Amino acid sequence: MADRNSSESRIRLLVWISLGAALIILLRFAFIMLSPDRVDEKDVQSPAPAERGSITDRKGRLIAMETRLWSITGWKPEMKNIPQTAALLGSVLNEKPEDIAKLIKNSSSRFLYIKRKAAPSESDAVRRLIENKQLPGIQLQEDFGRHYPMKELAAPLIGYVGTDNVGLDGIEYAFDRSLGPGGMTLDAKRLYGHTVRLTLDMDTQYLVERIALESMQKHKPDSLMVLVANAQTAEILAWVSLPSFDPNTFTSSTRQQRINRPLTVAYEPGSVFKIFSWAVLLDKGVVFPESVFDTRGGYEPAIFRKYGIPPITDLSDYGVLDLAGALIHSSNVAVAQAGEDIASEDFYTSLKNFGFGSPTGLPLPGESHGLLNPVSQWSPRSRPTISIGQEVGVSAVQILAAATTLANGGVLLQPRIVKDVTTVDGSVVKEYPRNPVREVISPKTARLMLDLMEKTVSDPGGTARRAAVPGLRISAKSGTAQIADPQTGKYSDKRFLSSTLALFPTKKPQLIVYVVLENPQGESIYGAQTAAPMVSSIARTLAPLYGIAMAGNTVINHPGKVQVSNPRPAPIGSTLPDLTGYSKRMLLNYLNHPDIKWTIEGEGWVQFQFPPPGTPVEKDMSVYVELR
């Protein structure tokens, strides 16, 4: 009985202790909530301002940068008249007052964002209202916005960020941890992310993209890709994917505009692929420069006839061809015949060594592996079909990478899009040096292929003759491929992919150019008539920029100094003037223009501006100016 009383006493004691603890907690909570000196949520110290790192081109020109903006916030306990507050905010934010009032009333938190990253004109207007004590409970909070002064240039590669300045695509996504500021602390004055410097040259990008846009208008393809790379280092200098978009307003773009095609899209390359097929056959000793091929009647071996496989044919009857003639006329029959004497496993392994069927390793999201089926999945037609660029899927960056073997004595280089990552003080965090992957073909084979490809340009009957530039030796190969219809599983007779790959100058290539048009709908569907002329325009434009000698050009020695008088600043009318040669002082006249936001980099005189002269002036447009 005593034990029972003792247990009941302990239980009663525990109950009273629990009730006492609960009462203390309630009293403390009431004291905190009712105390006039308590600290509100809005008074808690905020982390240090965090600035996302910049993305620049190889010369340090800004491609993506931070801009200081202000977000409009609300603290509900201090809002005395929500309808009046909503009416005032609506008038300066160009929004319906009832929508703002609904946002405030429906917020489950006492703190809320009225508008993130408001335009400067909007935040200035709100600041004046706050200073006049017309907006109790409304505050301005410093925020950072992302600005892309180059707009559409290389946008599918660069990507974009979301509202919270987090990368969502492209370089912005792939290097989000580097670009984003480090660990948040309360004692730092400001935090900075790293700078990502790309291999791109924005002069080259602008010039190449301008040519590409002209081709889009002329040939009306569904999409267009151009890659330009340094042939000796595999650094990509221009990356064009059209249609493109403006990352400053990416929410208004379409999915088709945001696709990073050179990296993510795989396709059957057509006759451009014959370069690598012939290189394998030469390197394995299956064919020789003096080999001949009788292309009359097409290619129809016994196994094709046995299983009813359609023969492989050419556009015309080219008769008997030597190796040079087979490349000049892009003969399907010749390369199919030549492939009979190589084992399928050897052919497959060599193509894998070129990088086909595997990602190149670019530090970017969503890279396509392409498609190169193992030999166990090949049909009797697979080997000759793959040799002409069908039944194999490639990406544009894979073709570009494979082409580096021709310029580097048979050694495959890994393509590069990033040069380095640096801290805000310039210290190098990571570098991306030249990276030889493996030797794929012999130097002799690489040299021979360049010489053979040159004949497709220089010969009057060559399929790539429209890529020619007077005075410049160019090695090139054009191609046209039927596009498979996903609904029928067969090749379409209306949709084609045209392309041209070029290296120049032939003796020691400095640049690689690869152009691809998907489904051109202009006067021609053929790569020889659509992509090859683009290569010619690009080569003609870039050769002087990269100091590539052209026969017949006069070389002038100059001390490197000129004396010029300061030009008088031209007024800004309906279009942008040419600012080339202007000093920073002369640009001051333009900074108060109501419709233009200026970004000025460097010291000296204007050497580059974007958008270019003659661009129509629009409200809230951005102009980037670089001085050197």
Side-chain angles (χ1 to χ4, degrees), residues 4-60:
R4 181 178 176 183
N5 292 335
S6 177
S7 298
E8 291 177 352
S9 298
R10 284 197 296 267
I11 291 172
R12 284 196 295 271
L13 179 61
L14 287 173
V15 169
W16 282 109
I17 291 173
S18 299
L19 290 173
L23 180 61
I24 291 171
I25 292 172
L26 288 172
L27 290 173
R28 179 60 181 165
F29 179 73
F31 173 78
I32 291 173
M33 294 301 295
L34 298 175
S35 173
D37 297 324
R38 72 187 182 88
V39 178
D40 283 331
E41 296 172 38
K42 66 171 185 173
D43 296 323
V44 175
Q45 186 180 1
S46 299
E51 185 169 343
R52 189 175 176 84
S54 299
I55 301 173
T56 74
D57 80 342
R58 64 189 301 110
K59 297 177 181 176

Side-chain angles (χ1 to χ4, degrees), residues 481-498:
Q482 290 176 287
I483 297 176
D485 187 333
Q487 295 183 345
T488 64
K490 299 179 180 179
Y491 287 111
S492 170
D493 57 359
K494 296 180 180 179
R495 292 175 55 81
F496 298 86
L497 184 136
S498 61

Side-chain angles (χ1 to χ4, degrees), residues 406-426:
L406 307 177
N408 292 273
V411 175
L412 176 73
L413 301 183
Q414 184 180 41
R416 299 156 63 198
I417 193 61
V418 178
K419 281 189 75 73
D420 53 45
V421 178
T422 59
T423 63
V424 68
D425 63 2

Side-chain angles (χ1 to χ4, degrees), residues 14 33 196 247 339 352 373 425 530:
L14 287 173
M33 294 301 295
V196 175
K352 287 290 288 186
N373 287 325
D425 63 2
T530 56

Side-chain angles (χ1 to χ4, degrees), residues 6 28 54 149 201 216 337 353 368 436 500 527 529 546 566:
S6 177
R28 179 60 181 165
S54 299
D201 177 81
M216 285 284 285
Q337 287 180 3
N353 284 339
S368 172
T500 297
Q529 298 174 352
Y546 285 89
N566 284 333

Side-chain angles (χ1 to χ4, degrees), residues 83-316:
Q84 181 180 344
T85 297
L88 288 170
L89 288 174
S91 65
V92 298
L93 300 181
N94 197 26
E95 295 184 13
K96 294 180 180 179
E98 55 268 28
D99 292 341
I100 296 176
K102 184 178 179 181
L103 174 69
I104 296 171
K105 292 177 180 178
N106 291 346
S107 175
S108 59
S109 171
R110 290 179 294 177
F111 173 84
L112 72 152
Y113 282 100
I114 306 295
K115 186 168 186 178
R116 296 291 301 269
K117 300 176 183 178
S121 59
E122 295 173 338
S123 59
D124 289 346
V126 171
R127 182 177 286 106
R128 287 192 293 270
L129 291 171
I130 293 173
E131 291 172 351
N132 292 333
K133 303 186 183 306
Q134 295 178 266
L135 289 176
I138 300 299
Q139 292 184 334
L140 291 172
Q141 178 177 300
E142 184 182 20
D143 212 339
F144 287 100
R146 203 65 166 162
H147 180 58
Y148 302 90
M150 302 297 179
K151 294 189 175 182
E152 291 88 353
L153 290 183
L157 167 68
I158 304 304
Y160 47 88
V161 299
T163 303
D164 294 319
N165 247 13
V166 175
L168 299 180
D169 203 357
I171 295 290
E172 292 277 28
Y173 175 81
F175 286 83
D176 188 63
R177 293 185 67 180
S178 296
L179 292 162
M184 303 297 287
T185 61
L186 296 177
D187 54 353
K189 292 183 178 180
R190 189 174 295 274
L191 296 171
Y192 297 94
H194 297 329
T195 295
V196 175
R197 183 163 65 113
L198 306 183
T199 61
L200 292 183
D201 177 81
M202 295 314 289
D203 287 337
T204 302
Q205 181 74 32
Y206 169 72
L207 294 170
V208 172
E209 196 150 329
R210 184 176 63 181
I211 293 170
L213 287 168
E214 292 172 355
S215 185
M216 285 284 285
Q217 293 180 350
K218 181 177 181 180
H219 299 296
K220 301 176 177 61
D222 293 344
S223 67
L224 189 151
M225 296 180 280
V226 185
L227 293 177
V228 178
N230 182 315
Q232 301 300 313
T233 65
E235 290 180 314
I236 299 174
L237 304 168
W239 182 296
V240 178
S241 177
L242 297 178
S244 186
F245 68 102
D246 184 348
N248 293 296
T249 55
F250 77 91
T251 54
S252 61
S253 62
T254 65
R255 179 180 176 276
Q256 289 297 313
Q257 292 173 316
R258 296 191 299 272
I259 294 176
N260 192 3
R261 289 177 173 80
L263 182 81
T264 63
V265 175
Y267 53 89
E268 293 185 351
S271 292
V272 165
F273 198 77
K274 292 173 186 172
I275 296 170
F276 310 107
S277 299
W278 282 117
V280 170
L281 297 172
L282 278 166
D283 207 60
K284 295 297 183 182
V286 175
V287 298
F288 305 91
E290 59 272 17
S291 297
V292 293
F293 311 94
D294 187 353
T295 66
R296 292 171 295 184
Y299 177 74
E300 191 177 19
I303 196 168
F304 277 30
R305 294 190 295 271
K306 179 180 178 179
Y307 292 103
I309 299 173
I312 291 175
T313 60
D314 291 327
L315 287 175
S316 300

Side-chain angles (χ1 to χ4, degrees), residues 292-446:
V292 293
F293 311 94
D294 187 353
T295 66
R296 292 171 295 184
Y299 177 74
E300 191 177 19
I303 196 168
F304 277 30
R305 294 190 295 271
K306 179 180 178 179
Y307 292 103
I309 299 173
I312 291 175
T313 60
D314 291 327
L315 287 175
S316 300
D317 187 348
Y318 299 122
V320 178
L321 299 172
D322 61 8
L323 181 56
L327 267 160
I328 288 170
H329 296 290
S330 192
S331 173
N332 296 329
V333 178
V335 72
Q337 287 180 3
E340 288 185 339
D341 296 324
I342 187 172
S344 295
E345 283 289 353
D346 288 344
F347 189 48
Y348 170 82
T349 300
S350 295
L351 293 180
K352 287 290 288 186
N353 284 339
F354 271 112
F356 298 116
S358 303
T360 65
L362 280 170
L364 293 167
E367 180 175 4
S368 172
H369 286 61
L371 177 65
L372 181 60
N373 287 325
V375 175
S376 60
Q377 298 180 21
W378 287 13
S379 71
R381 186 185 167 99
S382 291
R383 187 173 57 195
T385 302
I386 291 172
S387 70
I388 65 174
Q390 294 181 339
E391 203 178 317
V392 58
V394 304
S395 67
V397 292
Q398 286 178 331
I399 291 287
L400 184 80
T404 63
T405 60
L406 307 177
N408 292 273
V411 175
L412 176 73
L413 301 183
Q414 184 180 41
R416 299 156 63 198
I417 193 61
V418 178
K419 281 189 75 73
D420 53 45
V421 178
T422 59
T423 63
V424 68
D425 63 2
S427 301
V428 177
V429 176
K430 185 174 182 179
E431 290 184 295
Y432 294 81
R434 183 179 186 269
N435 184 17
V437 180
R438 55 183 165 266
E439 184 174 316
V440 181
I441 53 177
S442 69
K444 181 180 177 181
T445 299

